[in-house]
Structures are given as structure tokens and as C-alpha cells.
Amino acid sequence: MGTFHTGKHELHGITVVVETEGEETFVGRCDDMDDEKVILLDVDVHRAGESEVSKEDYLRQAAQWGVFAKHRHLVVDRSKVTAVNRLGEL
Amino acid sequence: MPYSPLLVKPMREELTAIGFEELMTGEEVGNWPGAKEGTGLLVINSVCGCAAGMARPGVRLALEESDKKPAHVATVFAGQDQEATAAARGLFPQVPPSSPSMAFFKDGELAYFLPRHRIEGRSAEDVAADLKSAFAEHC
């Protein structure tokens, strides 16, 4: 048994990878999602232009262990999102 | 704010009923032999039904169906027993915190870790299969 949440997107509570058209890739727990935004909790961000680790290596590491969250709450503009996938399925 | 103890009680009991020792303080975590010698499974329990709802039945199935099992099984409850949870996570500081999650120790080393995102949306049978593989490899 556990607590469940109604009225949220089907990915609510699921750790997702949010890829964007820019250099940022977000990994966090999806709180909700609609046509305008993706709301994430406990989020880490990979910035391709700033990180010494490639996006591929970052996601490989994230898929194995998870991520250390740098943001408790973050909203991503849906118009910039190119893909949302479950981290557990990478 | 922590959930009501009344709400959490049956979630605790899902594990204590099958033999899990509940560690409720940092001292109890520090004294737990499963992280020091032999084999030990430590479950970071959680309220969230998005993942924990399948985590606990998955653990039960794995223990029921495995010939090889960890010698010690214990649990802390994230969001409830905060000191104990922090101490538990201190046993594997290299791993990002998540709950529910499961840490398997062998001879004082972290041998296997099942993070929350590998539990979310999966069936109890799938979670159990991962644990049974870990038990077979390390026990």
C-alpha cells in the first residue's frame, strides 16, 4: 500500500529525463506535465557546453545510480522540450 | 512535514512482519551488523505509492523465493525517521539519495544498489527479480 495522487500526469512520481533543443538535459522526478510546462522535483541539470562529462556518460551514470539533486523544484518550458523519457528505461 | 504515524504504520509493518529490523536512530544504524560483516539488505522505505507500493511486495517476494538470502535485513523510513535515514545514507555517500531504495552489503562493502528510478512503475515481480539476481550473485 502507499499514497497515490490523482489529477496529475501519468508520469507523476516517475524519475524522467527531459531533453531540450538547447544544451540542457534535466533529470528529476516528474510532478506534472501539460502543453506548457514540465514540473520537476529534485532535479539535476546537465549543460553540454559547461560540463566535462558528455551527455551520454552523464545519462549512463544517472541511469545506474540516480542524480544528486541541485534544484528542489524546477519548471521547464514545454516548447523547448524535445523528449521526456523514464530514467529507469534508459 | 512527516506523514501521520497512523498512515505509515502499515507500511512499516509490511517489512517488519517479514523479519526486517527497523532502525530508528543513527546509533541503531551504526550498530547494524549487516553493513559490517556477512551480507545485509537495507531498505530505505517510503510513503510514496508511485514506487514504494511495489518496492515492499517486491522485497517480500524476493526473500520468499530465494534460496540464498542476506543474513541481515533492516529498514529505515525516509521522511519519518530522519536521523536514521541520514545515517543509513551515510553508509553509501557516493550514491545519490532516493527512496524507496535498497542497498545490499557484503563484508562491509556496498555490493548492489537498487535506486528508486529502477522501482518506479515496475511490478513487484520485476523488483523481486532484480533482488533475487543480487542475492544469487552475492549471498
Side-chain angles (χ1 to χ4, degrees), chain B residues 70-125:
Chain B
H72 306 277
V73 290
T75 177
V76 298
F77 210 117
Q80 296 291 311
D81 304 322
Q82 296 182 4
E83 179 197 335
T85 303
R89 287 174 172 155
L91 298 172
F92 39 88
Q94 73 278 27
V95 177
S98 66
S99 60
S101 58
M102 304 177 200
F104 182 88
F105 298 91
K106 184 172 185 179
D107 299 330
E109 301 287 334
L110 182 68
Y112 173 79
F113 189 79
L114 188 63
R116 174 194 167 104
H117 67 269
R118 294 277 176 209
I119 300 171
E120 295 164 345
R122 299 177 71 205
S123 68
E125 289 76 14

Side-chain angles (χ1 to χ4, degrees), chain A residues 1-5 12-15 29 62-68 86-88 90, chain B residues 7 10-11 14 47-50 56 93-97 113 115-118 120-121:
Chain A
M1 90 176 267
T3 56
F4 295 88
H5 312 275
H12 168 77
I14 304 296
T15 307
R29 204 168 66 254
Q64 182 172 3
W65 299 107
V67 296
F68 286 99
R86 292 172 182 246
L87 179 62
L90 291 190
Chain B
L7 175 79
M11 302 173 193
E14 275 190 75
V47 168
C48 183
C50 305
R56 293 182 294 265
Q94 73 278 27
V95 177
F113 189 79
R116 174 194 167 104
H117 67 269
R118 294 277 176 209
E120 295 164 345

